[in-house]
Amino acid sequence: MWDIDSSTRLCSLIGHPIKHSVSPQMHNAAFRSLGLNYVYLAFDVKPEKLEQAVKGLEAVGAVGFNVTIPHKVEVTRFLDELDESAERTGAVNTVVIKSSLKGYNTDVYGIEETLRDIRIGGYAMIIGAGGAARAAGVALINLGFRRIIVANRTLSKAKALVERLRELGAEAEAIGLREAGSRAQRCSLIINATPIGMTPNIDETPLRSSEIPGDAAVLDLVYNPVRTRLLTEAEKAGAQAISGLEVLVYQGARAFKLWTGVEAPVEVMRSEALRALKRWRG
Ligand code: NAP
């Protein structure tokens, strides 16, 4: 039984836009399955209202919140402290409100957990240089990858990310997106951290099967659709294809644990996220 009453604790998402998110379905199913008296709501917060939204959530006693585009960097200005994952990425996707407001980047954990069984070593390529690419870079370093190629449409942004990864100890190199195909041949892991291939552009892919080594693992952070064109190309090449749905679930599971102190029901979260994505109509 799941009743909202005067003791119900609030978790939320703030972003702009937020209509695409399946986090409310995923977290509410998890709360329900464990009989926890929590609710998760999504709030569309425009950039000029960010500070008010953060202070408002603190004022009403929310347990915490997720942060998505475009607030992941800006929100750090309104927090009291950052954990190591947020410090290293310079971006926050989860906030815990206790005696202070503490920011975390659970995308880093989500990527690490998703890749926990892959072979570590050789070159890894990150396609993209935005927020998700930053989280991917930190996760790769934490996992033990030392040689990282960042391929991005805007070369200057790839160079900025490479600088950051070098400061964290990686041997990193920036290239343009057009070079990604030829350089991917030497990589044991490829991560797409761009929206290429995302609904409605489901026929697009940053790489074709001929450019993907058969012994590589390919993680597409895009999870809508769950099976992207890039993952189909990876399978055609004989490579291991890993969906961004896993990252979505594990970053959510980590936030769930931070807010409730309880281990997240990962299977419930995965099947509910999948169900919500199948019903997604934009
Ligand atoms: P972001 O900060 O806006 O960065 C977007 C990146 O993609 C930039 O490097 C941008 O290149 C590149 N890009 C955008 N459109 C492109 C296009 N048409 N062709 C080539 N490159 C393009 O976004 P983000 O937060 O990093 O998110 C990136 C993707 O990861 C999104 O699809 C998001 O849904 C997904 N994501 C998934 C999870 C998960 O849990 N699975 C978590 C986080 C993010 P420029 O620098 O040239 O603009």
Side-chain angles (χ1 to χ4, degrees):
M1 193 53 206
W2 191 58
D3 288 321
I4 289 179
D5 61 20
S6 55
S7 307
T8 303
R9 314 294 310 272
L10 173 66
C11 300
S12 77
L13 168 69
I14 56 174
H16 179 69
I18 39 93
K19 258 183 74 183
H20 64 282
S21 176
V22 297
S23 290
Q25 293 94 316
M26 187 169 79
H27 282 286
N28 286 320
F31 295 144
R32 256 195 313 270
S33 79
L34 296 182
L36 295 174
N37 194 5
Y38 286 69
V39 67
Y40 185 107
L41 299 174
F43 298 121
D44 194 328
V45 175
K46 295 199 173 111
E48 62 273 22
K49 297 283 184 190
L50 179 61
E51 183 173 10
Q52 268 176 276
V54 172
K55 294 204 163 135
L57 286 167
E58 185 185 20
V60 299
V63 173
F65 54 94
N66 282 137
V67 184
T68 190
I69 287 175
H71 305 315
K72 284 186 177 183
V73 174
E74 197 63 12
V75 75
T76 58
R77 292 177 46 214
F78 311 118
L79 305 180
D80 303 310
E81 50 180 329
L82 302 179
D83 93 319
E84 196 191 348
S85 63
E87 248 351 316
R88 282 161 81 95
T89 51
V92 161
N93 80 328
T94 300
V95 174
V96 176
I97 307 175
K98 284 191 180 147
S99 49
S100 65
L101 278 83
K102 184 166 181 180
Y104 298 77
N105 192 313
T106 69
D107 285 337
V108 174
Y109 169 83
I111 294 167
E112 277 182 57
E113 193 57 21
T114 299
L115 297 177
R116 67 187 177 280
D117 292 331
I118 66 153
R119 181 169 52 90
I120 309 294
Y123 283 90
M125 177 180 285
I126 301 168
I127 304 175
R134 281 202 220 179
V138 172
L140 290 183
I141 291 171
N142 290 349
L143 282 166
F145 279 94
R146 284 289 163 264
R147 288 180 287 184
I148 302 172
I149 299 170
V150 178
N152 195 47
R153 179 175 64 181
T154 309
L155 186 58
S156 59
K157 288 197 192 155
K159 285 183 175 161
L161 175 53
V162 156
E163 277 312 308
R164 202 177 181 95
L165 298 181
R166 282 183 184 155
E167 281 166 21
L168 297 175
E171 282 173 36
E173 184 190 351
I175 62 172
L177 189 57
R178 290 207 178 110
E179 287 174 74
S182 56
R183 298 296 299 278
Q185 286 299 337
R186 292 186 60 192
C187 295
S188 59
L189 172 66
I190 298 162
I191 301 180
N192 176 37
T194 75
I196 299 172
M198 191 162 84
T199 302
N201 304 312
I202 58 169
D203 292 329
E204 291 180 1
T205 176
L207 296 174
R208 294 182 181 280
S209 60
S210 57
E211 296 166 324
I212 300 170
D215 59 355
V218 177
L219 167 62
D220 196 343
L221 291 179
V222 172
Y223 54 79
N224 188 358
V226 175
R227 195 115 224 102
T228 60
R229 169 86 187 272
L230 174 62
L231 295 185
T232 309
E233 296 288 331
E235 276 174 352
K236 242 193 263 175
Q240 186 186 354
I242 309 166
S243 169
L245 178 71
E246 293 302 304
V247 177
L248 176 74
V249 170
Y250 286 118
Q251 65 75 30
R254 180 94 178 109
F256 184 99
K257 174 85 191 282
L258 287 167
W259 294 326
T260 64
V262 175
E263 219 50 68
V266 170
E267 285 308 323
V268 171
M269 293 174 84
R270 183 182 288 113
S271 62
E272 189 59 31
L274 204 50
R275 200 174 70 87
L277 285 166
K278 279 187 183 147
R279 289 167 41 167
W280 195 84
R281 293 282 174 274

